[in-house]
Each structure stands twice: as structure tokens, then as C-alpha cells.
Amino acid sequence: MNPLFPRTSFKFIGLAIGLSIFFISFAASVVLGQTPTSISTAMDAFLRYDASSTEHIVITTTRLSRAVIASVIGGGLAMAGALMQALTRNPLASPSIFGINAGALFFVVTATVLFSVSSLLHLMWIAFLGAAVAAILVFFLGSLGRDGLSPIKIVLAGAALTAFFTSFTQGLLVIDEQSLEGVLFWIGGSVAGRTLEMLEPVLPFMAGAGIGALLLGRPINILTSGEDIAKGLGQKTILIKLLTGLVIVLLAGGAVAVGGSIGFIGLIVPHIVRGLIGMDYRWIIPYCAIFGASLLLLADVGARFVIMPEEMPIGVMTAILGAPFFIYIARRGFSRE
Amino acid sequence: MSKRTTIRNRSDSISFLVENRSMFVFLVFILLSFLLFIIGLSIGSTIIHPLTVLKELIGIGNGEHAFVIETLRLPRLLLSFFAGICLGISGLILQGIVRNPLASPDIIGITGGGAVAAVVMITYFPTIDITLLPFVAIAGAGTVSFFIYTLAWKKGVTPIRLVLIGIGVQALTGSFITMLMVLSPSYSTSEAYIWLTGSVYGANWGNVLSMLPWMIVFVPLAFLFSRKVNVQELGDDVAASLGSHVQRTRFGLIAISIALAGAAVAFAGGIGFVGLIAPHIARRLVGRSFGSLVPVSALAGGIIVMLADIVARTAFLPLDLPAGVFVSGMGAPFFIYLLYKTRNS
């Protein structure tokens, strides 16, 4: 398959187009919703804030933080997905398929039900931990054996871990029905109802990991040409793999800690991006960040309108978008490897 | 070579090769199930002496505990036993077709289909008679499986594609369930949640009787098809050259598997991992011949669910927990062990 933008100059143009799509989505996310506002009102809200205007309050308190959070999560998930697909050589790799979301959720529910943790900030750290544990487990289980990481093995390991974590989560929630209401939004995934302060603790990690991901583009290009070749070229493959793994955990863990279980962004976006620009990870990573953020912003805007006046959980939105895509890739098979 | 007994009808259209060792395992499992029955009938919030239970069962008791035994405990035990049998066979067939020891109806999306249908009914149509729930769940499982099968079809169905697409569909059904629960009033949310986890709570004779036809039809069918699974396990090419209609047989086997899993989901909710574990226990005990695997796997499944439910309703009295939690508790570590075991295959 030939990429849409084969030449470097085109890739810069593509990046510019991507950025403008991102800004439009961001603006849409700030402006549209149950209280419709206009672009000029939004501008006013930032430049000439009027505390008596409901629209201004809505925009500066809920809409803006929501858009920022959606961008960070979307970009993080997409980058994590791209790195996972590169590392496992598996086109189906993504945080949700590999059980990372389910792991984070299980930890959150355990903390709420058994240890009565209720501070959202603490829960976020716990989710982070759960994501890391699940990621390590999946990579470990998927790479057992002589032939190392095989695509089918790691998908099965992910599905199994998801089933495992989910059933325990359900069990705990049955024991304590009151908690069910409190954690439902983790289960469904949400970028609403969170302030920017909640993003602060994880932001340094995610930003660091994002920069790390950008820097890893070049070594990953070498790694994807084959382990032996990479070693022959003098690459410390183990170190690169470990660093990539760390970056994945930070990005995916941070995303699930803030937004709950939002699936499939990490699956779809890298495929779209590869279709646009080919296999060069130096470009794939920044493209993924921008397109992932845009996609999640748009999904979030969509989630506000599908079943007005209620809001669709965003994790459900992305699953509805993403699962058909997963099935499409599964049908096409692993032939591109 | 171990001693074998051959069972076949006059025209040879039905034929089983039963190893005597398998026969022994089978009898031990029957005995175990019976013991569990007695234990299950005697313990609970009122503890009844096993002898009294026995007397009551054969009709010479004084009727003192008739209500507890016959109305409360017996149908519940039978239902969990039946559900386990169905899941055990369903998982066995799936693992045979997919040729992967990690397949089971809950991992590849069949259970999810039934669950979506049931949750829709619980949350949006609470007025509909609850006895219709099984049919709704089976219809849901059937529809979703049909989708999985159609989507996996590309000049035939390959096992790997079936599993992958099943996992994708499972994710989709999972998110639908989440959506329904987030959007529904909290009362029905928790009710739906209990059902999802898998519970035989409140089983009655009506449930048992409506489950019975599914058992009577599909369990023997699974027996009859067992030879074909042996052939399928050899691989598509070998099976075809042995004269087996690979795709047609596979369709038939999957249909049986769905019907059994659907029935189990319908009556006992989303009990996971049984379809995964039971076949492995069976294989460990009686080897790879499908004819003897079917009954042993069935009984293993039945015993697992019965045991889980007995523990679930007695361990934390007066709490009556869903059996599914305990099955997962046993099943999940087992699964990880399996992943470790099959690491080189």
C-alpha cells in the first residue's frame, strides 16, 4: 500500500493539515454542547472574562478542561498504540485489547470497595499502577516460550487478562452496590467532570513519555526492520525495547488514570497514520499524537449529541467506532507483517 | 495399550471407543457430583444432616425440611450443574475447532451476545415476564455468534480469524453493556450487574424444566459429533483428505457449542472460565479421544459450577454471592498457568 504523502515536504504539509484539524476539533469541543455557544463568545470568555455570564463560566470551567484532557488522553493513547504495534509487531495491539484498561479499572474498584479510597487523585495513581501491572503481565505472558512475542499469543493473553480483571471487578461491584455508581464512569470512560488540576499530577509523566516517544522514532525504525538487523547495526535492542515499554506504560497508564477505560483510539489512529505517511516512526509518532487528540475530541463532541440530553460514555463511543475497525484488521490478517 | 471397550450400533453409524480408564474417571466424577449434591442440599443457613437429606430425597423423610430441600436448594443445584455441563461441552467443542486451548465461549464473544440481550431486557423491559429471559439470551448469543461467523468467513472460516473477530465482537458487546448500564436507572443497573457476574440465585423448578430440553437435545448431539472433532483437530487439510466436510462440520459443531453456551448464559448468567477449565481437566484425566472427553468435560463443568455456587452462598453467610466470582477466582490463575504451559506450542 502506497502512503498518501510519500515525500518529506508532503509530510510537513500533512502535519500542518493535521494541526488545523486538531484546532478545529478543539474549538468544536469548546463551543458545542448542551449549552451551545459561538466562537466569538468563546474568545470573549478567554479575553474578556465576564463572571456573570453562564456561557463564559461553562466554557472556562467545564468545556476547556474537557477539551484539554481529551487532547492529552487521545494523543497519549494513540502514541502508546503506535509504539505497542511496533514493539509487538502486531497490528491489533492497543491498550484496551491488551487488558491495560481492564487492569486499571480492577485496581480502582478494589481500592474503592475494599480500602474505601474515595479521593479521585489517589484513585488516579492506583489506576496508573493497575495499568502498569496489566501491561507488564501481558507482555510477560505474551512473550513466554521459545518463539517470543507472537501476535496471536499476546492478543489471547490480553483477552484473557481482560476477562480475568473484568470478572473480579464485577464480583467486587456486586458485593458493594453503592460503589457501582461511583465507578461506572471509569468503566465507561469519561473526559467530563474533571478539572485541569486532575491532569497536573500525571501530565509531567505523560509529557516526558511523549517526548521519549518522539525520540524513540529513529531506533524503532531500525528495530522494526528486524531484531537481527538492528543488533547488527549496533543497536542495544533490549534497552530500546525496555524504554519503549516504559513509555507505553506511562502514556497508556496516564490516559486511563485520567479518563477511565477509553478503548480503540490506540488501535485505529496508528493504522490511519500509517496509511497516510508509511512506516517511518519518526513521523508516525507526532502524527499519532495530533490525530489521536483530534479523534478523541471529535468522539467526545459526538458523545454529547448522540443521545441528547444525556451523554454517551466516551469509551462506548470509541468502541463503536473502533471495534468494526478491529474486525476489519483481523479479517485482513497479519499478511502485512 | 490400555484396555478399551467399543460401543457401536448395528449399522456402525454410531461408534465409540471407550477406554476403561475413561470409564473409571467418569464413574468417579459421577460419584463426586452426587456427593456434592448431598453436601449442597445439607448446608446453607439451616444445616440439615446428610442422612435426613437422603431420606427426604428417596421419600421416606418426615417432610420437615421438604421446603428448603426441594424448593430452595434442589433446583438451584440442578441448575448450576446443568449450566456447568453445557459450558463444559461448549468449551470443549470450541477448543477442538479452534485448536487452541485458550478458547472458550466467554472469551470469543458468544457469552457477550447473550449478555447484551439480557441486559437490554432487564433494563428497558422490566415488565416482560422474567421466564422469557432465557430465550432472549439465547437469541442474543445466536445472533452475535452468527455475526462472528459471517465476519470470520472468507472462503471458509479459519480458527484464528474466528478467535480474533470474536475478541473484537466481545469488546463491542462489552461496551454496549457499559452504555446500557451507565444510562439506566441505578436499580436495574445492580440487578443487571448481578446477572452479568453469573448467578443461579433464585432458581426454581421452572428454570430447571425449561433448561432441560436444551440439554436433552444438544448434549447427545455433541456426543454424536465427537468423532468429527477428532478429525477436525488434525487440521483442515488432513480432515478434508479424510473425507470430512470441514466447513460444514465446523458450522454444525459451532452451532451446538452456541446452543449450549447460550442456554447456560440464559439460566445462570455470565459465568466465565468454566468453558475454559473443564475441558482441560478432562484432557488431563482421559487423554485426547473426544468420545470420552465429552462426558468427562461435561461433568467437570457441572462439578465446578456446583461447587462454586455452594461456596458462594455459604462462605459469607448471610451474603449470597454470585457463583461467577468464585469460578473466576479459580479460573483466572488456571488460565495464566495454561498460557505458561502452552508457551512453546
mmCIF file of all heavy atoms in Angstrom, chain A residues 163-164 167 170, chain B residues 84 87 104-107 111 170 195-199 264-265 268-278 301 304-305 308 323-332 335:
data_model
loop_
_atom_site.group_PDB
_atom_site.id
_atom_site.type_symbol
_atom_site.label_atom_id
_atom_site.label_comp_id
_atom_site.label_asym_id
_atom_site.label_seq_id
_atom_site.Cartn_x
_atom_site.Cartn_y
_atom_site.Cartn_z
ATOM 1 N N ALA A 163 -10.645 -10.587 30.612
ATOM 2 C CA ALA A 163 -11.725 -11.402 31.194
ATOM 3 C C ALA A 163 -11.498 -11.584 32.694
ATOM 4 O O ALA A 163 -12.427 -11.473 33.499
ATOM 5 C CB ALA A 163 -11.785 -12.753 30.506
ATOM 6 N N PHE A 164 -10.256 -11.806 33.053
ATOM 7 C CA PHE A 164 -9.885 -12.044 34.446
ATOM 8 C C PHE A 164 -10.169 -10.806 35.302
ATOM 9 O O PHE A 164 -10.940 -10.848 36.278
ATOM 10 C CB PHE A 164 -8.403 -12.414 34.440
ATOM 11 C CG PHE A 164 -7.706 -12.383 35.764
ATOM 12 C CD1 PHE A 164 -8.305 -12.883 36.898
ATOM 13 C CD2 PHE A 164 -6.420 -11.877 35.855
ATOM 14 C CE1 PHE A 164 -7.634 -12.864 38.099
ATOM 15 C CE2 PHE A 164 -5.746 -11.856 37.056
ATOM 16 C CZ PHE A 164 -6.354 -12.343 38.177
ATOM 17 N N SER A 167 -13.969 -9.945 35.467
ATOM 18 C CA SER A 167 -14.853 -10.743 36.306
ATOM 19 C C SER A 167 -14.645 -10.405 37.778
ATOM 20 O O SER A 167 -15.612 -10.383 38.545
ATOM 21 C CB SER A 167 -14.659 -12.224 36.032
ATOM 22 O OG SER A 167 -13.319 -12.567 36.204
ATOM 23 N N GLN A 170 -16.376 -7.162 38.452
ATOM 24 C CA GLN A 170 -17.817 -7.376 38.588
ATOM 25 C C GLN A 170 -18.152 -7.981 39.942
ATOM 26 O O GLN A 170 -19.104 -7.575 40.597
ATOM 27 C CB GLN A 170 -18.314 -8.295 37.476
ATOM 28 C CG GLN A 170 -18.354 -7.595 36.131
ATOM 29 C CD GLN A 170 -18.719 -8.539 35.012
ATOM 30 O OE1 GLN A 170 -18.696 -9.753 35.179
ATOM 31 N NE2 GLN A 170 -19.053 -7.985 33.868
ATOM 32 N N GLY B 84 -23.148 -25.880 34.201
ATOM 33 C CA GLY B 84 -21.761 -26.310 34.115
ATOM 34 C C GLY B 84 -21.558 -27.334 33.013
ATOM 35 O O GLY B 84 -20.596 -27.277 32.250
ATOM 36 N N LEU B 87 -21.623 -25.568 29.646
ATOM 37 C CA LEU B 87 -20.411 -24.787 29.401
ATOM 38 C C LEU B 87 -19.212 -25.693 29.165
ATOM 39 O O LEU B 87 -18.366 -25.415 28.314
ATOM 40 C CB LEU B 87 -20.143 -23.846 30.575
ATOM 41 C CG LEU B 87 -21.101 -22.668 30.679
ATOM 42 C CD1 LEU B 87 -20.890 -21.931 31.988
ATOM 43 C CD2 LEU B 87 -20.888 -21.721 29.516
ATOM 44 N N SER B 104 -12.688 -20.149 24.677
ATOM 45 C CA SER B 104 -13.865 -20.536 25.454
ATOM 46 C C SER B 104 -14.981 -19.563 25.094
ATOM 47 O O SER B 104 -14.715 -18.477 24.591
ATOM 48 C CB SER B 104 -13.575 -20.528 26.950
ATOM 49 O OG SER B 104 -13.626 -19.224 27.430
ATOM 50 N N PRO B 105 -16.243 -19.988 25.336
ATOM 51 C CA PRO B 105 -17.342 -19.148 24.844
ATOM 52 C C PRO B 105 -17.307 -17.722 25.385
ATOM 53 O O PRO B 105 -17.754 -16.800 24.707
ATOM 54 C CB PRO B 105 -18.597 -19.893 25.298
ATOM 55 C CG PRO B 105 -18.148 -20.980 26.173
ATOM 56 C CD PRO B 105 -16.722 -21.231 25.917
ATOM 57 N N ASP B 106 -16.761 -17.515 26.580
ATOM 58 C CA ASP B 106 -16.791 -16.151 27.110
ATOM 59 C C ASP B 106 -15.678 -15.293 26.529
ATOM 60 O O ASP B 106 -15.795 -14.078 26.495
ATOM 61 C CB ASP B 106 -16.743 -16.144 28.646
ATOM 62 C CG ASP B 106 -15.713 -17.109 29.190
ATOM 63 O OD1 ASP B 106 -15.604 -18.213 28.635
ATOM 64 O OD2 ASP B 106 -15.018 -16.773 30.150
ATOM 65 N N ILE B 107 -14.596 -15.925 26.072
ATOM 66 C CA ILE B 107 -13.515 -15.111 25.526
ATOM 67 C C ILE B 107 -13.793 -14.731 24.082
ATOM 68 O O ILE B 107 -13.447 -13.650 23.641
ATOM 69 C CB ILE B 107 -12.162 -15.840 25.692
ATOM 70 C CG1 ILE B 107 -11.798 -15.841 27.176
ATOM 71 C CG2 ILE B 107 -11.059 -15.168 24.888
ATOM 72 C CD1 ILE B 107 -10.551 -16.567 27.513
ATOM 73 N N THR B 111 -20.818 -15.522 24.792
ATOM 74 C CA THR B 111 -21.490 -15.150 26.036
ATOM 75 C C THR B 111 -21.894 -13.682 26.016
ATOM 76 O O THR B 111 -22.963 -13.317 26.482
ATOM 77 C CB THR B 111 -20.566 -15.406 27.233
ATOM 78 O OG1 THR B 111 -19.913 -16.646 27.036
ATOM 79 C CG2 THR B 111 -21.341 -15.454 28.505
ATOM 80 N N GLN B 170 -16.489 -9.232 21.214
ATOM 81 C CA GLN B 170 -16.642 -9.237 22.669
ATOM 82 C C GLN B 170 -16.433 -7.823 23.224
ATOM 83 O O GLN B 170 -17.167 -7.371 24.095
ATOM 84 C CB GLN B 170 -15.635 -10.218 23.282
ATOM 85 C CG GLN B 170 -15.633 -10.276 24.786
ATOM 86 C CD GLN B 170 -16.835 -11.027 25.331
ATOM 87 O OE1 GLN B 170 -17.650 -11.531 24.589
ATOM 88 N NE2 GLN B 170 -16.954 -11.060 26.635
ATOM 89 N N TRP B 195 -26.609 -10.295 37.381
ATOM 90 C CA TRP B 195 -26.849 -11.286 36.349
ATOM 91 C C TRP B 195 -25.594 -11.511 35.514
ATOM 92 O O TRP B 195 -25.235 -12.636 35.179
ATOM 93 C CB TRP B 195 -28.011 -10.817 35.470
ATOM 94 C CG TRP B 195 -28.415 -11.863 34.517
ATOM 95 C CD1 TRP B 195 -29.309 -12.859 34.730
ATOM 96 C CD2 TRP B 195 -27.901 -12.044 33.205
ATOM 97 N NE1 TRP B 195 -29.383 -13.652 33.633
ATOM 98 C CE2 TRP B 195 -28.532 -13.179 32.685
ATOM 99 C CE3 TRP B 195 -26.968 -11.369 32.429
ATOM 100 C CZ2 TRP B 195 -28.267 -13.650 31.412
ATOM 101 C CZ3 TRP B 195 -26.700 -11.832 31.168
ATOM 102 C CH2 TRP B 195 -27.346 -12.958 30.669
ATOM 103 N N LEU B 196 -24.919 -10.391 35.199
ATOM 104 C CA LEU B 196 -23.724 -10.471 34.362
ATOM 105 C C LEU B 196 -22.623 -11.298 34.997
ATOM 106 O O LEU B 196 -21.871 -11.987 34.334
ATOM 107 C CB LEU B 196 -23.160 -9.069 34.135
ATOM 108 C CG LEU B 196 -23.753 -8.259 33.020
ATOM 109 C CD1 LEU B 196 -23.091 -6.903 32.988
ATOM 110 C CD2 LEU B 196 -23.548 -8.969 31.714
ATOM 111 N N THR B 197 -22.500 -11.175 36.318
ATOM 112 C CA THR B 197 -21.439 -11.873 37.012
ATOM 113 C C THR B 197 -21.687 -13.372 37.018
ATOM 114 O O THR B 197 -20.777 -14.163 37.165
ATOM 115 C CB THR B 197 -21.333 -11.366 38.449
ATOM 116 O OG1 THR B 197 -21.455 -9.959 38.415
ATOM 117 C CG2 THR B 197 -20.024 -11.719 39.068
ATOM 118 N N GLY B 198 -22.951 -13.744 36.872
ATOM 119 C CA GLY B 198 -23.266 -15.156 36.830
ATOM 120 C C GLY B 198 -23.786 -15.630 38.161
ATOM 121 O O GLY B 198 -23.056 -15.715 39.131
ATOM 122 N N SER B 199 -25.066 -15.894 38.215
ATOM 123 C CA SER B 199 -25.634 -16.314 39.474
ATOM 124 C C SER B 199 -26.824 -17.216 39.221
ATOM 125 O O SER B 199 -27.582 -17.024 38.281
ATOM 126 C CB SER B 199 -26.077 -15.095 40.270
ATOM 127 O OG SER B 199 -26.804 -15.502 41.391
ATOM 128 N N ALA B 264 -26.689 -21.966 28.862
ATOM 129 C CA ALA B 264 -26.058 -21.759 30.166
ATOM 130 C C ALA B 264 -26.120 -20.290 30.567
ATOM 131 O O ALA B 264 -26.479 -19.956 31.696
ATOM 132 C CB ALA B 264 -24.605 -22.230 30.123
ATOM 133 N N VAL B 265 -25.780 -19.417 29.628
ATOM 134 C CA VAL B 265 -25.813 -17.982 29.911
ATOM 135 C C VAL B 265 -27.217 -17.562 30.308
ATOM 136 O O VAL B 265 -27.432 -16.789 31.235
ATOM 137 C CB VAL B 265 -25.362 -17.172 28.681
ATOM 138 C CG1 VAL B 265 -25.621 -15.694 28.895
ATOM 139 C CG2 VAL B 265 -23.904 -17.400 28.426
ATOM 140 N N ALA B 268 -27.963 -19.107 33.900
ATOM 141 C CA ALA B 268 -27.052 -18.877 35.019
ATOM 142 C C ALA B 268 -26.257 -17.591 34.871
ATOM 143 O O ALA B 268 -25.369 -17.323 35.665
ATOM 144 C CB ALA B 268 -26.105 -20.062 35.179
ATOM 145 N N GLY B 269 -26.540 -16.785 33.857
ATOM 146 C CA GLY B 269 -25.819 -15.529 33.703
ATOM 147 C C GLY B 269 -24.417 -15.750 33.169
ATOM 148 O O GLY B 269 -24.070 -16.837 32.710
ATOM 149 N N GLY B 270 -23.626 -14.708 33.248
ATOM 150 C CA GLY B 270 -22.308 -14.755 32.610
ATOM 151 C C GLY B 270 -21.235 -15.438 33.425
ATOM 152 O O GLY B 270 -20.254 -14.828 33.798
ATOM 153 N N ILE B 271 -21.419 -16.720 33.727
ATOM 154 C CA ILE B 271 -20.371 -17.440 34.449
ATOM 155 C C ILE B 271 -19.224 -17.711 33.493
ATOM 156 O O ILE B 271 -19.392 -18.420 32.515
ATOM 157 C CB ILE B 271 -20.901 -18.763 35.030
ATOM 158 C CG1 ILE B 271 -21.961 -18.469 36.084
ATOM 159 C CG2 ILE B 271 -19.776 -19.573 35.637
ATOM 160 C CD1 ILE B 271 -22.466 -19.673 36.807
ATOM 161 N N GLY B 272 -18.078 -17.132 33.770
ATOM 162 C CA GLY B 272 -16.949 -17.273 32.859
ATOM 163 C C GLY B 272 -16.030 -18.411 33.257
ATOM 164 O O GLY B 272 -16.188 -18.998 34.326
ATOM 165 N N PHE B 273 -15.107 -18.720 32.401
ATOM 166 C CA PHE B 273 -13.986 -19.599 32.681
ATOM 167 C C PHE B 273 -14.324 -21.080 32.790
ATOM 168 O O PHE B 273 -13.433 -21.915 32.738
ATOM 169 C CB PHE B 273 -13.236 -19.179 33.951
ATOM 170 C CG PHE B 273 -12.385 -17.963 33.749
ATOM 171 C CD1 PHE B 273 -12.758 -16.742 34.285
ATOM 172 C CD2 PHE B 273 -11.238 -18.032 33.005
ATOM 173 C CE1 PHE B 273 -11.978 -15.621 34.087
ATOM 174 C CE2 PHE B 273 -10.451 -16.914 32.808
ATOM 175 C CZ PHE B 273 -10.826 -15.705 33.354
ATOM 176 N N VAL B 274 -15.625 -21.441 32.974
ATOM 177 C CA VAL B 274 -15.932 -22.872 33.085
ATOM 178 C C VAL B 274 -15.627 -23.565 31.770
ATOM 179 O O VAL B 274 -14.999 -24.628 31.735
ATOM 180 C CB VAL B 274 -17.416 -23.090 33.442
ATOM 181 C CG1 VAL B 274 -17.705 -24.561 33.568
ATOM 182 C CG2 VAL B 274 -17.750 -22.367 34.713
ATOM 183 N N GLY B 275 -16.063 -22.919 30.679
ATOM 184 C CA GLY B 275 -15.825 -23.479 29.359
ATOM 185 C C GLY B 275 -14.346 -23.596 29.050
ATOM 186 O O GLY B 275 -13.937 -24.325 28.160
ATOM 187 N N LEU B 276 -13.553 -22.880 29.792
ATOM 188 C CA LEU B 276 -12.108 -22.933 29.578
ATOM 189 C C LEU B 276 -11.476 -24.058 30.395
ATOM 190 O O LEU B 276 -10.693 -24.856 29.891
ATOM 191 C CB LEU B 276 -11.491 -21.602 29.991
ATOM 192 C CG LEU B 276 -9.995 -21.522 29.863
ATOM 193 C CD1 LEU B 276 -9.630 -21.212 28.436
ATOM 194 C CD2 LEU B 276 -9.439 -20.478 30.780
ATOM 195 N N ILE B 277 -11.868 -24.126 31.674
ATOM 196 C CA ILE B 277 -11.171 -25.036 32.587
ATOM 197 C C ILE B 277 -11.594 -26.482 32.402
ATOM 198 O O ILE B 277 -10.761 -27.381 32.354
ATOM 199 C CB ILE B 277 -11.449 -24.661 34.058
ATOM 200 C CG1 ILE B 277 -11.222 -23.178 34.272
ATOM 201 C CG2 ILE B 277 -10.555 -25.432 34.967
ATOM 202 C CD1 ILE B 277 -11.638 -22.764 35.655
ATOM 203 N N ALA B 278 -12.918 -26.688 32.318
ATOM 204 C CA ALA B 278 -13.433 -28.057 32.335
ATOM 205 C C ALA B 278 -12.769 -28.936 31.273
ATOM 206 O O ALA B 278 -12.331 -30.051 31.589
ATOM 207 C CB ALA B 278 -14.954 -28.042 32.180
ATOM 208 N N GLY B 301 -17.362 -29.599 34.287
ATOM 209 C CA GLY B 301 -18.021 -28.297 34.289
ATOM 210 C C GLY B 301 -19.118 -28.236 35.339
ATOM 211 O O GLY B 301 -19.219 -27.276 36.112
ATOM 212 N N ILE B 304 -17.686 -27.996 38.806
ATOM 213 C CA ILE B 304 -17.103 -26.682 39.089
ATOM 214 C C ILE B 304 -18.186 -25.675 39.471
ATOM 215 O O ILE B 304 -18.103 -24.989 40.485
ATOM 216 C CB ILE B 304 -16.318 -26.153 37.870
ATOM 217 C CG1 ILE B 304 -15.063 -26.977 37.637
ATOM 218 C CG2 ILE B 304 -15.932 -24.686 38.077
ATOM 219 C CD1 ILE B 304 -14.364 -26.655 36.344
ATOM 220 N N VAL B 305 -19.229 -25.603 38.652
ATOM 221 C CA VAL B 305 -20.251 -24.589 38.915
ATOM 222 C C VAL B 305 -21.006 -24.897 40.208
ATOM 223 O O VAL B 305 -21.283 -24.006 41.011
ATOM 224 C CB VAL B 305 -21.227 -24.451 37.728
ATOM 225 C CG1 VAL B 305 -22.266 -23.393 38.019
ATOM 226 C CG2 VAL B 305 -20.468 -24.097 36.471
ATOM 227 N N ALA B 308 -18.756 -23.961 43.042
ATOM 228 C CA ALA B 308 -18.637 -22.509 43.156
ATOM 229 C C ALA B 308 -19.888 -21.924 43.790
ATOM 230 O O ALA B 308 -19.813 -21.032 44.639
ATOM 231 C CB ALA B 308 -18.399 -21.894 41.785
ATOM 232 N N ALA B 323 -22.095 -16.989 41.903
ATOM 233 C CA ALA B 323 -21.142 -18.087 41.739
ATOM 234 C C ALA B 323 -20.007 -17.710 40.795
ATOM 235 O O ALA B 323 -18.884 -18.192 40.929
ATOM 236 C CB ALA B 323 -21.858 -19.321 41.215
ATOM 237 N N GLY B 324 -20.326 -16.831 39.836
ATOM 238 C CA GLY B 324 -19.343 -16.468 38.820
ATOM 239 C C GLY B 324 -18.051 -15.938 39.402
ATOM 240 O O GLY B 324 -16.974 -16.186 38.867
ATOM 241 N N VAL B 325 -18.159 -15.217 40.535
ATOM 242 C CA VAL B 325 -16.963 -14.652 41.145
ATOM 243 C C VAL B 325 -15.996 -15.761 41.543
ATOM 244 O O VAL B 325 -14.790 -15.671 41.330
ATOM 245 C CB VAL B 325 -17.336 -13.819 42.384
ATOM 246 C CG1 VAL B 325 -16.100 -13.235 43.027
ATOM 247 C CG2 VAL B 325 -18.294 -12.714 42.001
ATOM 248 N N PHE B 326 -16.548 -16.826 42.099
ATOM 249 C CA PHE B 326 -15.668 -17.897 42.572
ATOM 250 C C PHE B 326 -15.097 -18.701 41.422
ATOM 251 O O PHE B 326 -13.967 -19.169 41.482
ATOM 252 C CB PHE B 326 -16.424 -18.790 43.553
ATOM 253 C CG PHE B 326 -16.614 -18.103 44.852
ATOM 254 C CD1 PHE B 326 -17.712 -17.296 45.068
ATOM 255 C CD2 PHE B 326 -15.653 -18.213 45.839
ATOM 256 C CE1 PHE B 326 -17.856 -16.616 46.249
ATOM 257 C CE2 PHE B 326 -15.793 -17.543 47.016
ATOM 258 C CZ PHE B 326 -16.898 -16.738 47.236
ATOM 259 N N VAL B 327 -15.912 -18.860 40.375
ATOM 260 C CA VAL B 327 -15.371 -19.570 39.211
ATOM 261 C C VAL B 327 -14.198 -18.781 38.640
ATOM 262 O O VAL B 327 -13.157 -19.347 38.304
ATOM 263 C CB VAL B 327 -16.463 -19.785 38.147
ATOM 264 C CG1 VAL B 327 -15.879 -20.540 36.977
ATOM 265 C CG2 VAL B 327 -17.622 -20.546 38.726
ATOM 266 N N SER B 328 -14.358 -17.465 38.568
ATOM 267 C CA SER B 328 -13.249 -16.655 38.047
ATOM 268 C C SER B 328 -12.048 -16.756 38.958
ATOM 269 O O SER B 328 -10.911 -16.808 38.497
ATOM 270 C CB SER B 328 -13.654 -15.192 37.942
ATOM 271 O OG SER B 328 -14.862 -15.069 37.290
ATOM 272 N N GLY B 329 -12.308 -16.778 40.249
ATOM 273 C CA GLY B 329 -11.215 -16.874 41.200
ATOM 274 C C GLY B 329 -10.376 -18.117 40.966
ATOM 275 O O GLY B 329 -9.154 -18.099 41.092
ATOM 276 N N MET B 330 -11.045 -19.222 40.604
ATOM 277 C CA MET B 330 -10.296 -20.434 40.309
ATOM 278 C C MET B 330 -9.774 -20.402 38.878
ATOM 279 O O MET B 330 -8.697 -20.895 38.577
ATOM 280 C CB MET B 330 -11.205 -21.656 40.467
ATOM 281 C CG MET B 330 -11.728 -21.872 41.866
ATOM 282 S SD MET B 330 -12.614 -23.442 41.963
ATOM 283 C CE MET B 330 -14.237 -22.987 41.374
ATOM 284 N N GLY B 331 -10.578 -19.821 38.000
ATOM 285 C CA GLY B 331 -10.282 -19.931 36.576
ATOM 286 C C GLY B 331 -9.133 -19.062 36.121
ATOM 287 O O GLY B 331 -8.332 -19.482 35.291
ATOM 288 N N ALA B 332 -9.055 -17.864 36.666
ATOM 289 C CA ALA B 332 -8.060 -16.932 36.162
ATOM 290 C C ALA B 332 -6.623 -17.406 36.392
ATOM 291 O O ALA B 332 -5.833 -17.432 35.458
ATOM 292 C CB ALA B 332 -8.290 -15.568 36.780
ATOM 293 N N PHE B 335 -5.865 -20.053 34.006
ATOM 294 C CA PHE B 335 -5.641 -19.570 32.649
ATOM 295 C C PHE B 335 -4.195 -19.122 32.464
ATOM 296 O O PHE B 335 -3.548 -19.420 31.461
ATOM 297 C CB PHE B 335 -6.573 -18.399 32.362
ATOM 298 C CG PHE B 335 -6.605 -18.024 30.923
ATOM 299 C CD1 PHE B 335 -7.533 -18.577 30.075
ATOM 300 C CD2 PHE B 335 -5.703 -17.123 30.411
ATOM 301 C CE1 PHE B 335 -7.554 -18.251 28.742
ATOM 302 C CE2 PHE B 335 -5.715 -16.789 29.079
ATOM 303 C CZ PHE B 335 -6.656 -17.359 28.241
#
